[in-house]
Amino acid sequence: MTKRDLSWQQNDPSFDHILDELEWRGYLHVHTDLDALRERMNQGPITYYCGFDPTAPSLHLGHLVQLLLLRRIQLAGNHPIGLVGGSTGLIGDPRPTSERTLNSRETVAEWVNGLRDQIEGYLSFEGEFAARMANNLDWTGDLSALDFLRDLGKYFRVGSMLKKDAVSARLNSEAGISYTEFSYQILQAFDFLELNRRYGLELQTGGSDQWGNLVGGVDLIRRAEGKPAHALGTPLITNSDGTKFGKSEGNAIWINAELTSPYAFYQFWLNTDDRDVVDRLKIFTFYNREEIAEFAQQVADEPFRRSAQRALASAVTRLVHGDEATDAAIDASEALFGNGDLAALGEDVLGQAIAELPHVEATLGQSVAELLVATEAESSLSAARRAIKQGGVTINKAKVDDEHAVLGEQHLLAGGAVVIRRGKKTLVGAIVR
């Protein structure tokens, strides 16, 4: 389990109830009867869960919303369960567009372990409200087809299953939908039922794109056990222009440092649009209502300072990658785009930064003009030489004034990195091997 210091995390004491804070922060996009859930939570601690399918080796930004929601509800004095879908991950929730490629059992098992480690790092497993972990393969691995049909299938109506958004979209497409993916919603509902039977679980959380599956579990508990259950669906994370983030969109921001480096992670948050930054602060940080109001005022009065973006980027990167990696990412960002010292950066961090720039491999003695063209900072050698001659090019922040300048040993930073700037905004890199 990845250990994190969770002691600094706290809910905003200005709210009388956790549901009020969740609503203010923007977590409650869809939900079952909120008044009934509030009444139940007022009676004492509730056990709740969120499931994470191992369809990739890491969780991403969208999953981070769920991890933080789990943590906030735990801080309010409730019992969380983090579930990794060892069985549902073998099938995959149906996408609206096409059938998923089924991963091997060995791959899914490996990803289960990786996701479990990530989830555990965001919850407390000590004290009165200690978290639990679960794997749905434990109760479905030995489930026979007859038991599946007799004990579960009888509670589901095909008409209702066909109305699920992803199912409906697939039925109306050329791809159609297999029975394998069609049955996914039954398995997820079974998770809710099984956890209810084992631990008295009463609440499931998830993304709003999972809403059909969430209420499927609520209905199954009502039909099979005659008990009430509850569900909360969070909004999908999009930019103000409607851009989505996620694995299926091809632009996932992973919380695994090997897939999205801490520097790239920090830069993602730092580049948040003014229109989005306050909403991001509410969802992804533990800043309270008063502090976020101050950031909102700064965005309105002095947007050029980007104070809110800096606070957001620092807070979320520290949450995911820790202080050391965050401080290094900030140093690299300041060195590249501010007044920081490039020579002070270590090889790993500098390499992460160069990887995010247009960059090429280079050799000692190669002309700077050629590198400008190779990195598309200039369109031709003649234009590159002209830019150098006019004083518009720097190497590692030192101006180049010789249009025939070449790379030398004196230009190399840690790991053979070189940072070249063309004008005020164009930054490119090279690695000398």
Side-chain angles (χ1 to χ4, degrees):
M1 180 174 72
T2 300
K3 291 287 187 180
R4 281 186 173 83
D5 177 15
L6 306 179
S7 60
W8 59 272
Q9 298 174 358
Q10 62 177 349
N11 291 327
D12 189 336
S14 69
F15 290 94
D16 294 331
H17 198 283
I18 182 59
L19 291 179
D20 295 330
E21 180 173 0
L22 295 180
E23 187 167 22
W24 174 78
R25 288 189 179 275
Y27 281 96
L28 305 186
H29 183 68
V30 287
H31 49 76
T32 50
D33 189 336
L34 212 56
D35 290 335
L37 176 58
R38 183 187 299 269
E39 181 179 350
R40 168 59 191 87
M41 296 178 81
N42 287 340
Q43 295 171 5
I46 193 170
T47 303
Y48 63 103
Y49 93 106
C50 183
F52 303 84
D53 275 347
T55 55
S58 172
L59 301 176
H60 55 66
L61 179 152
H63 298 119
L64 185 57
V65 176
Q66 304 309 319
L67 294 173
L68 289 172
L69 179 56
L70 286 175
R71 179 58 178 150
R72 292 185 198 279
I73 300 177
Q74 182 182 32
L75 285 168
N78 299 285
H79 304 283
I81 297 177
L83 181 142
V84 184
S87 62
T88 46
L90 290 168
I91 294 174
D93 193 19
R95 296 180 298 189
T97 53
S98 62
E99 194 85 2
R100 290 181 181 272
T101 300
L102 299 182
N103 297 300
S104 70
R105 292 179 179 272
E106 293 75 18
T107 296
V108 171
E110 180 182 346
W111 289 352
V112 163
N113 292 331
L115 266 59
R116 182 185 181 109
D117 182 72
Q118 289 182 329
I119 295 165
E120 288 177 343
Y122 292 85
L123 298 171
S124 173
F125 289 80
E126 301 174 350
E128 182 181 359
F129 305 108
R132 289 188 178 96
M133 291 298 298
N135 181 344
N136 56 24
L137 191 61
D138 291 345
W139 52 82
T140 56
D142 295 327
L143 183 68
S144 72
L146 283 176
D147 290 339
F148 176 78
L149 294 173
R150 282 179 55 86
D151 298 338
L152 289 175
K154 65 182 180 181
Y155 292 113
F156 290 83
R157 297 296 175 264
V158 173
S160 298
M161 296 175 70
L162 292 174
K163 292 178 182 178
K164 299 294 192 322
D165 289 343
V167 172
S168 176
R170 287 279 291 281
L171 287 173
N172 293 319
S173 71
E174 293 184 3
I177 186 169
S178 68
Y179 181 75
T180 299
E181 290 196 358
F182 181 65
S183 65
Y184 178 94
Q185 54 189 292
I186 299 179
L187 290 177
Q188 183 168 332
F190 183 36
D191 291 342
F192 202 167
L193 176 63
E194 184 65 22
L195 291 172
N196 176 272
R197 289 170 171 171
R198 291 187 179 204
Y199 305 113
L201 183 135
E202 299 174 72
L203 168 66
Q204 181 180 183
T205 69
S208 59
D209 58 338
Q210 289 286 308
W211 186 242
N213 294 330
L214 299 184
V215 296
V218 170
D219 290 341
L220 178 59
I221 290 174
R222 176 178 55 81
R223 290 173 179 152
E225 302 293 299
K227 298 177 182 178
H230 310 275
L232 299 177
T234 60
L236 299 182
I237 299 302
T238 62
N239 282 334
S240 53
D241 62 4
T243 305
K244 295 180 181 179
F245 293 94
K247 180 165 59 69
S248 61
E249 305 298 324
N251 59 354
I253 306 299
W254 304 99
I255 66 174
N256 184 328
E258 295 180 1
L259 298 177
T260 299
S261 72
Y263 173 80
F265 191 85
Y266 177 83
Q267 287 296 317
F268 166 80
W269 297 103
L270 189 63
N271 291 327
T272 300
D273 191 284
D274 287 344
R275 296 169 293 178
D276 300 317
V277 67
V278 173
D279 289 341
R280 299 289 187 270
L281 283 165
K282 289 180 178 180
I283 288 179
F284 290 101
T285 79
F286 284 87
Y287 284 115
N288 62 38
R289 180 159 47 179
E290 182 179 346
E291 291 168 328
I292 291 176
E294 292 177 4
F295 285 126
Q297 193 63 51
Q298 291 169 8
V299 172
D301 294 343
E302 298 179 312
F304 59 91
R305 296 190 184 280
R306 301 187 69 75
S307 301
Q309 281 87 346
R310 294 179 188 279
L312 173 67
S314 176
V316 186
T317 309
R318 290 183 195 283
L319 177 74
V320 174
H321 295 297
D323 290 339
E324 183 177 349
T326 302
D327 291 340
I330 293 172
D331 289 344
S333 182
E334 179 63 22
L336 285 174
F337 302 104
N339 298 318
D341 183 7
L342 283 167
L345 299 180
E347 181 177 346
D348 288 346
V349 176
L350 188 56
Q352 291 176 22
I354 294 293
E356 298 304 311
L357 301 175
H359 64 280
V360 295
E361 290 195 2
T363 58
L364 291 176
Q366 188 170 358
S367 79
V368 177
E370 288 177 346
L371 289 174
L372 288 170
V373 176
T375 55
E376 299 184 356
E378 282 292 357
S379 58
S380 66
L381 285 174
S382 59
R385 293 184 182 118
R386 185 162 55 251
I388 295 171
K389 190 174 182 179
Q390 293 172 348
V393 177
T394 65
I395 295 181
N396 303 335
K397 299 190 175 182
K399 186 173 290 187
V400 180
D401 52 17
D402 180 0
E403 62 186 287
H404 300 293
V406 298
L407 284 183
E409 292 280 358
Q410 73 276 17
H411 295 130
L412 303 187
L413 299 169
V418 178
V419 177
I420 304 171
R421 183 183 295 275
R422 165 66 179 97
K424 293 183 178 181
K425 297 184 178 180
T426 303
L427 204 61
V428 298
I431 300 291
V432 175
R433 301 297 185 186

